[in-house]
Amino acid sequence: MNADPGIPVLELKGLKKHFDLSGKWYSGERKYLKAVDGIDLKVFSGETLGIVGESGCGKSTTGNVMLRLLEPTEGDILFEGENIASLSVRELRKRRKDFQMIFQDPFSSLNPRMRVMDLIAEPLRSHNILSGDQLRRRVTELMDNVGLSSSFITRYPHEFSGGQRQRIGIARALALQPKLIVCDEVVSALDVSIQAQILNLLARLQREFNLTYIFISHGLPAVKHFSTRVAVMYLGKIVELAKKEQLFRHPRHPYTEALLSAVPIPDPAVARDRKRIVLDGDIPSPVNLPAGCRFHTRCMYAQEKCRVAEPVLTEQQDGHQVACHFPLAQPAGPVVVTA
């Protein structure tokens, strides 16, 4: 853990990722898909930062860019104060052991032709850390950490269930003893009962190894259960950032309010009293973004200022940040999200 908890493990400054859709030989006005369009974010040691939003908002691209699995178009990525966005491939390779990713699909992220032993050992071999009997002992130790029997060490991925495959992916991410792990939709492809097991496993590993997580998900109950702070994304921008309790109890951005209202509630009495907010229209294209606030085309509270001026993410109170010209004073109705 950092000696000073105020020093972020990871800091993003003006991070952008634009995809050129024009083609290599196109000579006219180029078109860009602005998947990530200017993000400033800090992640602190030992916390879990949740990133939520609708499909296509740029949250998974953000996770890939911050680890340089995709190259940023613009901006700085400071890991423990070092700008990894400017590192060469060789320099970045040395740094990679400090940050890892657990992918969404536990099957496609594992090579089907490799046994469990080789899948988990691959990062250790790649960095020339262990070999021989020491390597095998380390792999069995990692399997034990994630709740897998060492008798599975010679099996192939297709011989496991989805939850077991995800445990293999987690063991592989832990192999190099990283400081930061990006969890990209790690439970969305699993059954509900298995989701709880994986989330509880990740929480235990965080306590045991002092891990820092970035938890990317569109499932608000999982985010509420697992995260410390939550960032809400819309069309490549962070529109709200707050501690978990603040955000779920008192959302300040209309988009966050709408997301929370869409989560099913198992208690019929509570569900009847809650106001369901239905957003009109489709999400604008990230290629042709609207002027002003990107959410104004679907916002029931939009005013003229929202159509011409883009709001800046600013702190309202107690670390609660929101990018809205007219932040909500109070929830429109009871905000209840079950974990």
Side-chain angles (χ1 to χ4, degrees):
M1 179 179 291
N2 289 344
D4 183 355
I7 299 176
V9 174
L10 181 73
E11 183 175 4
L12 309 179
K13 293 183 177 181
L15 187 67
K16 295 183 180 181
K17 179 59 181 177
H18 297 172
F19 295 95
D20 190 347
L21 305 182
S22 307
K24 185 176 180 180
W25 307 110
Y26 184 73
S27 59
E29 182 180 356
R30 309 195 76 81
K31 293 185 177 181
Y32 293 93
L33 189 153
K34 299 178 180 179
V36 180
D37 197 29
I39 286 182
D40 297 307
L41 191 64
K42 294 180 180 180
V43 184
F44 297 95
S45 178
E47 78 166 339
T48 298
L49 176 70
I51 301 180
V52 301
E54 294 171 287
S55 296
C57 71
K59 55 188 185 295
S60 290
T61 303
T62 301
N64 281 279
V65 174
M66 68 174 61
L67 298 188
R68 274 192 64 183
L69 298 178
L70 291 172
E71 290 298 323
T73 302
E74 186 179 312
D76 296 327
I77 308 167
L78 303 178
F79 184 81
E80 295 183 325
E82 181 181 22
N83 189 4
I84 65 171
S86 61
L87 295 181
S88 67
V89 174
R90 178 175 294 183
E91 292 169 331
L92 181 63
R93 180 180 174 81
K94 295 178 182 177
R95 254 320 205 166
R96 281 210 181 276
K97 61 183 179 62
D98 291 327
F99 41 85
Q100 297 291 310
M101 177 175 274
I102 305 170
F103 296 93
Q104 176 177 359
D105 188 343
F107 190 77
S108 63
S109 63
L110 302 176
N111 188 329
R113 298 187 178 185
M114 294 176 69
R115 299 178 189 270
V116 171
M117 169 67 195
D118 297 317
L119 287 167
I120 299 176
E122 186 175 23
L124 294 165
R125 287 172 173 154
S126 178
H127 286 266
N128 298 314
I129 294 177
L130 294 173
S131 61
D133 292 339
Q134 288 183 328
L135 179 63
R136 188 178 182 89
R137 283 195 297 270
R138 175 61 176 156
V139 171
T140 56
E141 177 187 356
L142 288 164
M143 293 179 69
D144 182 64
N145 286 335
V146 300
L148 290 174
S149 171
S150 59
S151 63
F152 297 161
I153 202 167
T154 58
R155 294 189 182 182
Y156 291 93
H158 73 270
E159 299 180 74
F160 296 93
S161 67
Q164 288 174 321
R165 286 195 289 265
Q166 195 60 287
R167 289 173 188 266
I168 296 171
I170 294 170
R172 186 173 60 178
L174 287 174
L176 296 173
Q177 299 178 310
K179 299 173 183 177
L180 172 73
I181 297 180
V182 175
C183 306
D184 185 14
E185 299 276 12
V186 292
V187 296
S188 63
L190 305 177
D191 293 338
V192 174
S193 60
I194 305 302
Q195 289 182 15
Q197 294 178 20
I198 296 299
L199 291 177
N200 290 335
L201 170 63
L202 290 171
R204 175 176 64 79
L205 294 172
Q206 184 175 41
R207 293 191 299 269
E208 291 180 4
F209 301 109
N210 189 33
L211 297 170
T212 303
Y213 290 137
I214 295 175
F215 186 72
I216 298 170
S217 177
H218 62 266
L220 287 170
V223 170
K224 183 182 181 183
H225 171 75
F226 193 60
S227 300
T228 309
R229 290 188 301 143
V230 181
V232 181
M233 285 191 68
Y234 185 79
L235 280 178
K237 292 274 192 180
I238 292 177
V239 297
E240 188 164 6
L241 174 63
K243 294 177 182 177
K244 171 181 66 177
E245 295 81 7
Q246 290 178 324
L247 187 130
F248 282 90
R249 183 178 64 248
H250 190 171
R252 303 299 303 275
H253 197 282
Y255 177 61
T256 308
E257 180 188 43
L259 287 181
L260 295 178
S261 78
V263 179
I265 298 177
D267 187 336
V270 176
R272 280 195 300 270
D273 294 334
R274 186 180 65 169
K275 179 183 177 182
R276 174 72 171 93
I277 300 172
V278 180
L279 298 177
D280 294 329
D282 297 325
I283 303 176
S285 169
V287 179
N288 298 300
L289 293 168
C293 175
R294 300 180 182 198
F295 185 61
H296 85 262
T297 58
R298 306 171 73 197
C299 181
M300 67 176 68
Y301 310 112
Q303 301 182 35
E304 184 59 32
K305 183 178 181 180
C306 305
R307 298 178 177 88
V308 296
E310 185 172 7
V312 178
L313 188 69
T314 55
E315 184 171 335
Q316 300 294 310
Q317 59 182 16
D318 193 23
H320 196 144
Q321 300 178 48
V322 60
C324 182
H325 294 304
F326 307 99
L328 302 175
Q330 60 182 10
V335 177
V336 180
V337 178
T338 55

